[in-house]
Amino acid sequence: MSAADLLYSDTEEALRDSVRQLLADRCPPELVVRAYDVPPQDFSELWRRLAADLGVAGLLVPESLDGAGASAREAAVVMEEIGRAVAPVPFLSSAVLATVALLRSGETDTIAGLAGGAVTAALVVPLSTAPGDPVTGVRNGADGLTGRVTSVAGAREADVLVVPVAGPDGVELHTVARDAAGVEISPFLTFDMTRPLADVQFSGAASSRVGNGPAEAALAEALQTAAALLASEQLGIARWCLDTTLAYTKERKQFGRAIGSYQAIKHRLADLWFEVGAATAAARYAADTCARGDADAAIAAALAQAYCSGVAVHAAEECVQLHGGIGMTWEYPAHLYLKRAKSDQLALGTAYRHRARLAALVNLPVT
């Protein structure tokens, strides 16, 4: 195996610049907060710009299937910028979870649409599902698919649902059109409305099976890849919170002094700076090992999730607190980052679950 490379390449930095510029122009905080309106803001045009104009939807898709032929490293850069802007786009649910599951199952028809941004998909599993968790799937009867799956990310925005189905030889993957008869999608109010969740009910829905063999390996890879890349989104959240808080403490004055000059504030920011630096190394290592198919990829993903999720929450909490009164207001975007950080902390397994998985992967005995 080649050595890990945690540095960003010129290509990755160019991709970052493009994504950051587009999100700055089309996804300012005053627009993001409208995800909490009733009815919520429609962000489909923003996703089309990212997916089609910049080609981020096809980053993980091979060029032979009309994708970009990139890797998890480039996808991680996009996830960082999505976290930095708390962008309400289905990149994780469609371009990572659903795309990787379909690719590893040998599906090609839907993949071409996903790569070009014309189609959006969602993997119908609870967002809380961690790598290594069993996925039982819905039932497939004579009349079609039957069953209910709760807390699915991206289902409301998806054109195609990628559904794990319990088969006689194990879990199968099926695709179902979102608007097909027998499919009911019920969005509900969540703590973080920038990544909306929905319950999906199947009542005799017609489906098409993907591939011929069991899908457990495809689902496991999709969940592990998503967990590795989610760490980069958490890193993007933490970096924005640190940079914004640092700038604010240099400007905000009390008793004639910038609050950042007080020793207690310096200590808090120094501790946070160290945590964000460590999270950078963990997230980059997870993305790099995932991209190379390294034997340590599962360990790196578990390590990154066990650490980065807590750092993102801590950074967001410090951002709210050190901004004082303004940090508590609806108009200031700090609350958006705290909500996304807390939501991410529960997505794809909690830190406790990942620490337990990490212990098993490195043969650390439980005492």
Side-chain angles (χ1 to χ4, degrees):
M1 294 290 181
S2 58
D5 180 8
L6 306 188
L7 301 179
Y8 297 97
S9 68
D10 292 342
T11 300
E12 290 163 4
E13 291 293 3
L15 175 61
R16 180 194 306 282
D17 291 342
S18 297
V19 174
R20 183 175 296 186
Q21 184 62 56
L22 189 148
L23 293 177
D25 291 343
R26 298 184 174 273
C27 189
E30 56 269 23
L31 181 62
V32 175
V33 77
R34 292 174 65 182
Y36 294 86
D37 289 351
V38 181
Q41 172 76 20
D42 181 7
F43 294 99
S44 56
E45 179 59 27
L46 172 63
W47 173 239
R48 280 193 291 270
R49 293 285 184 177
L50 274 171
D53 294 0
L54 296 187
V56 302
L59 284 176
L60 299 179
V61 179
E63 291 181 288
S64 60
L65 296 176
D66 298 327
S71 72
R73 289 178 59 97
E74 289 78 13
V77 170
V78 175
M79 287 290 286
E80 282 186 41
E81 294 308 309
I82 288 173
R84 188 180 182 89
V86 285
V89 294
F91 182 81
L92 178 67
S93 55
S94 181
V96 180
L97 276 167
T99 295
V100 173
L102 289 173
L103 278 172
R104 297 304 174 261
S105 297
E107 205 277 351
T108 57
D109 294 336
T110 305
I111 285 293
L114 290 174
V119 175
T120 302
L123 182 62
V124 184
V125 298
L127 184 58
S128 60
T129 306
D133 282 358
V135 178
T136 56
V138 301
R139 299 183 301 278
N140 187 16
D143 297 329
L145 302 186
T146 304
R148 181 178 180 86
V149 183
T150 60
S151 303
V152 177
R156 188 183 68 186
E157 305 91 342
D159 302 299
V160 176
L161 302 176
V162 182
V163 189
V165 176
D169 300 319
V171 177
E172 306 167 353
L173 270 189
H174 290 228
T175 56
V176 182
R178 181 193 59 182
D179 56 0
V183 177
E184 181 182 355
I185 297 176
S186 305
F188 56 89
L189 183 65
T190 59
F191 184 62
D192 172 29
M193 291 300 290
T194 63
R195 177 167 286 142
L197 304 179
D199 295 336
V200 182
Q201 177 75 46
F202 298 100
S203 304
S207 66
S208 300
R209 184 176 177 182
V210 176
N212 297 316
E216 282 88 353
L219 290 168
E221 184 167 351
L223 291 167
Q224 181 175 299
T225 301
L229 295 181
L230 184 63
S232 290
E233 177 173 288
Q234 292 160 340
L235 173 61
I237 294 169
R239 279 181 172 169
W240 184 92
C241 292
L242 173 62
D243 293 345
T244 303
T245 306
L246 183 60
Y248 180 78
T249 57
K250 290 179 180 179
E251 298 174 357
R252 178 73 169 92
K253 292 185 178 180
Q254 287 185 343
F255 308 109
R257 292 175 56 183
I259 62 172
S261 66
Y262 291 100
Q263 197 73 2
I265 302 297
K266 287 181 178 179
H267 287 170
R268 289 171 70 171
L269 289 173
D271 289 344
L272 187 57
W273 176 85
F274 177 83
E275 289 181 17
V276 173
T280 302
R284 290 301 294 166
Y285 184 60
D288 183 68
T289 53
C290 181
R292 293 186 288 111
D294 194 279
D296 280 347
I299 294 173
L303 176 64
Q305 273 304 298
Y307 185 74
C308 294
S309 62
V311 173
V313 172
H314 182 213
E317 290 173 341
E318 290 288 67
C319 181
V320 171
Q321 292 178 15
L322 294 180
H323 274 79
I326 192 175
M328 306 291 180
T329 63
W330 185 260
E331 291 76 17
Y332 198 74
H335 67 98
L336 297 173
Y337 291 85
L338 180 57
K339 290 169 183 173
R340 177 65 76 87
K342 286 299 294 183
S343 173
D344 282 358
Q345 195 176 37
L346 303 176
L348 300 170
T350 63
Y352 172 82
R353 297 286 303 285
H354 287 284
R355 286 194 294 270
R357 185 165 189 256
L358 179 61
L361 289 169
V362 299
N363 297 318
L364 183 65
V366 178
T367 57

